[in-house]
Amino acid sequence: MTPITHHISDALLLEYAAGTLEEGWSLAVATHLALCPDCRKRLALMEAAGGALIESLEPETTPERERESWEAMLQRLKAEPAEEPAAAPQRPVGDADVDRAIPEPLRSYIGGSLEAVEWRRLGIGAAQYQVPVDGDLNVRLLRVGPGRPLPEHGHGGRELTLILKGCYRCDGEAFGPGDFDEEDEETVHEPVVTPDGECICLIVTDAPLKFKSRMMRVVQPFLGI
């Protein structure tokens, strides 16, 4: 398994630390955090900095219970981060390994493992599974066969992609297991799965994709993307 090279942006990680993300966004971020020690350390630093900033503010007159609540929160933010788990073995990843590598919270959302997923076929070499979450975000697992491209598309909003298995290439960059890809309205791309195996991703969007292909635009309402 290659090292994770694409991480959560500072802006998105700050949103997560502040607790302002909707469930679908949080699911993608939390799953990446479970796989990525570097981003967990960054999150711990952000939380510590936030706690220090709050502590430096002049206190206002508050009821006793509210003051105690603030003090308890500061103590939690100052706590030492948990010991990092051992790094994953650097070797090719098989299906059983992928299932073991899928951490909480995603495991609970998909029923425990990829074997439990009820895939819906999208076409030759592709399938998806709609992950149940509250709210209006589209959260899904996408499974694409080796060597196959995803149709060229843009976005009507934010798109987060977390690679769980396999690899795809896009705009000269490779995205492998654990990598996190953030796109927005300015992005138009056509990721292509590498020929050495299928690719499974967790994808979260807040608006329909904007396909370049007329045929894809025709079938898009039936695909739910």
Side-chain angles (χ1 to χ4, degrees), residues 113-215:
S113 74
L114 291 176
E115 293 180 357
V117 172
E118 297 181 358
W119 296 100
R120 177 191 175 193
R121 187 174 176 181
L122 296 178
I124 298 175
Q128 75 172 1
Y129 169 72
Q130 294 291 150
V131 179
V133 297
D134 291 333
D136 298 326
L137 297 178
N138 189 332
V139 183
R140 62 193 183 277
L141 292 177
L142 181 64
R143 187 174 196 166
V144 182
R148 295 192 175 277
L150 281 69
E152 186 179 13
H153 63 277
H155 308 90
R158 174 190 275 173
E159 178 186 69
L160 303 182
T161 301
L162 172 63
I163 292 81
L164 300 170
K165 176 186 177 183
C167 177
Y168 68 68
R169 300 192 66 86
C170 186
D171 298 328
E173 294 186 277
F175 294 80
D179 280 337
F180 196 86
D181 189 12
E182 296 179 47
E183 305 294 352
D184 57 25
E185 300 95 329
E186 298 182 1
T187 303
V188 177
H189 61 172
E190 185 180 18
V192 179
V193 176
T194 54
D196 52 338
E198 68 177 5
C199 183
I200 299 178
C201 305
L202 173 67
I203 302 175
V204 185
T205 55
D206 58 2
L209 302 181
K210 296 182 177 181
F211 288 104
K212 295 296 182 180
S213 164
R214 182 176 180 276
M215 179 176 293

Side-chain angles (χ1 to χ4, degrees), residues 1-16:
M1 185 174 179
T2 57
I4 295 173
T5 57
H6 297 85
H7 302 276
I8 302 168
S9 67
D10 286 341
L12 182 60
L13 199 55
L14 280 170
E15 288 185 79
Y16 180 82

Side-chain angles (χ1 to χ4, degrees), residues 36-115:
C36 182
D38 289 342
C39 286
R40 290 199 299 273
K41 291 176 183 177
R42 290 169 55 218
L43 177 63
L45 288 173
M46 288 179 180
E47 290 176 336
L53 179 60
I54 292 172
E55 191 174 31
S56 69
L57 297 176
E58 290 295 328
E60 297 180 3
T61 303
T62 59
E64 185 65 23
R65 287 186 178 179
E66 187 172 345
R67 183 165 57 252
E68 291 176 356
S69 176
W70 276 106
E71 291 173 354
M73 182 190 70
L74 290 173
Q75 290 302 316
R76 290 196 298 271
L77 291 176
K78 291 177 183 177
E80 289 293 327
E83 183 178 349
E84 298 292 350
Q90 302 297 303
R91 56 183 174 79
V93 178
D95 288 341
D97 295 316
V98 171
D99 277 343
R100 287 195 294 270
I102 294 176
E104 293 291 1
L106 182 57
R107 287 186 68 87
S108 294
Y109 279 82
I110 67 173
S113 74
L114 291 176
E115 293 180 357

